[in-house]
Amino acid sequence: AARGDIFSIPVEKGVIRNLTGSSGAHDREVAWSPRGDHVAWISDISGEEELYIRDSLGRDAPVKVSSGFTTRLYQPLWSPDGNKLAFGDADARIHVVGKDGKNQTLVDDDSGFMQHDYSWSPDSKWLAYSMTDSNGYRSIYIWDSESGRKHRVTGPMFSEYNPVFSNSGTQLFYLSDRMFSPQLGAIEWNYVASRNTGLYAMMLTKDAENPFAPQNV
């Protein structure tokens, strides 16, 4: 994305294609489909920001696949099978829509602040993301694209975010702030939290191996 248009640029040989050529619109946040045959992006060409897709060679006209938005949109993310896209908005909501523009769904509505850290499972069935708890921390949820149900998979004691599925889909990696070393602040002479962020993993199936298990040398 550059200067309000979406371009396809070859790594070595070929031609540069302007896939939008819309001087009266702001096109941004482009995402390749898994097979590389389509691109998705956000555009305000209709007067409000919506999600569009087009084949990567620019042979067909752009297709608007979302509808009804009156706020800023962010971060389109294709499902691995190329059939769905997840995206967020400035009201801290997460949405999913089919690449054909059908089944637009509100996944969740964050009561805290905007943070779009969602990730698809390899089989495209599950979407993992984080939401703000009442205590200000974040917890990780998994949304089932078939049933529409969501499951909270971490507790309220720590702040967990940025979930990512393993390639096998049996593990979920995420970052967590765990504060075990409070320090005495020099300004008010009171305890201040020492934020320690680490990488953690959750086993999603009984036969999943622990990637952080001790190893004999």
Side-chain angles (χ1 to χ4, degrees):
R3 301 184 67 85
D5 278 339
I6 303 299
F7 297 86
S8 174
I9 303 175
V11 175
E12 294 182 358
K13 300 177 182 179
V15 297
I16 298 175
R17 293 184 175 90
N18 187 332
L19 297 178
T20 53
S22 52
S23 60
H26 184 195
D27 305 319
R28 59 185 183 85
E29 303 215 22
V30 62
W32 284 99
S33 66
R35 294 193 302 173
D37 55 349
H38 285 82
V39 293
W41 69 91
I42 306 296
S43 177
D44 62 359
I45 193 170
S46 67
E48 296 287 352
E49 290 198 345
E50 299 287 357
L51 181 63
Y52 291 78
I53 66 171
R54 189 179 192 181
D55 75 284
S56 58
L57 296 179
R59 294 167 297 190
D60 301 327
V63 177
K64 181 167 72 73
V65 297
S66 69
S67 62
F69 288 96
T70 58
T71 186
R72 193 169 178 85
L73 304 184
Y74 296 95
Q75 197 177 329
L77 179 66
W78 290 87
S79 58
D81 62 8
N83 292 328
K84 300 182 289 290
L85 291 116
F87 59 100
D89 66 26
D91 292 330
R93 298 175 297 185
I94 300 174
H95 309 267
V96 167
V97 67
K99 72 173 185 179
D100 55 3
K102 298 179 180 179
N103 301 319
Q104 182 173 303
T105 304
L106 173 63
V107 175
D108 219 330
D109 188 350
D110 199 327
S111 60
F113 60 94
M114 181 181 64
Q115 182 171 328
H116 305 127
D117 57 345
Y118 34 80
S119 171
W120 286 104
S121 62
D123 61 2
S124 302
K125 179 181 178 181
W126 307 93
L127 187 74
Y129 58 96
S130 70
M131 299 291 285
T132 305
D133 294 326
S134 58
N135 60 6
Y137 291 167
R138 298 187 71 82
S139 291
I140 293 176
Y141 292 76
I142 297 180
W143 175 74
D144 185 344
S145 65
E146 295 180 356
S147 68
R149 296 178 179 178
K150 61 182 179 181
H151 310 272
R152 181 175 178 169
V153 295
T154 61
M157 293 298 294
F158 305 104
S159 188
E160 287 108 357
Y161 48 94
N162 288 125
V164 177
F165 284 93
S166 64
N167 291 334
S168 64
T170 60
Q171 299 155 336
L172 187 69
F173 295 90
Y174 58 92
L175 298 179
S176 180
D177 297 339
R178 308 209 168 187
M179 305 174 188
F180 294 122
S181 53
Q183 300 176 357
L184 191 63
I187 298 178
E188 297 182 356
W189 295 103
N190 201 348
Y191 281 109
V192 295
S194 176
R195 174 171 144 170
N196 300 313
T197 302
L199 176 64
Y200 295 82
M202 177 185 302
M203 310 305 123
L204 299 177
T205 62
K206 293 182 179 180
D207 58 347
E209 296 183 2
N210 181 0
F212 302 136
Q215 297 182 3
N216 294 326
V217 180

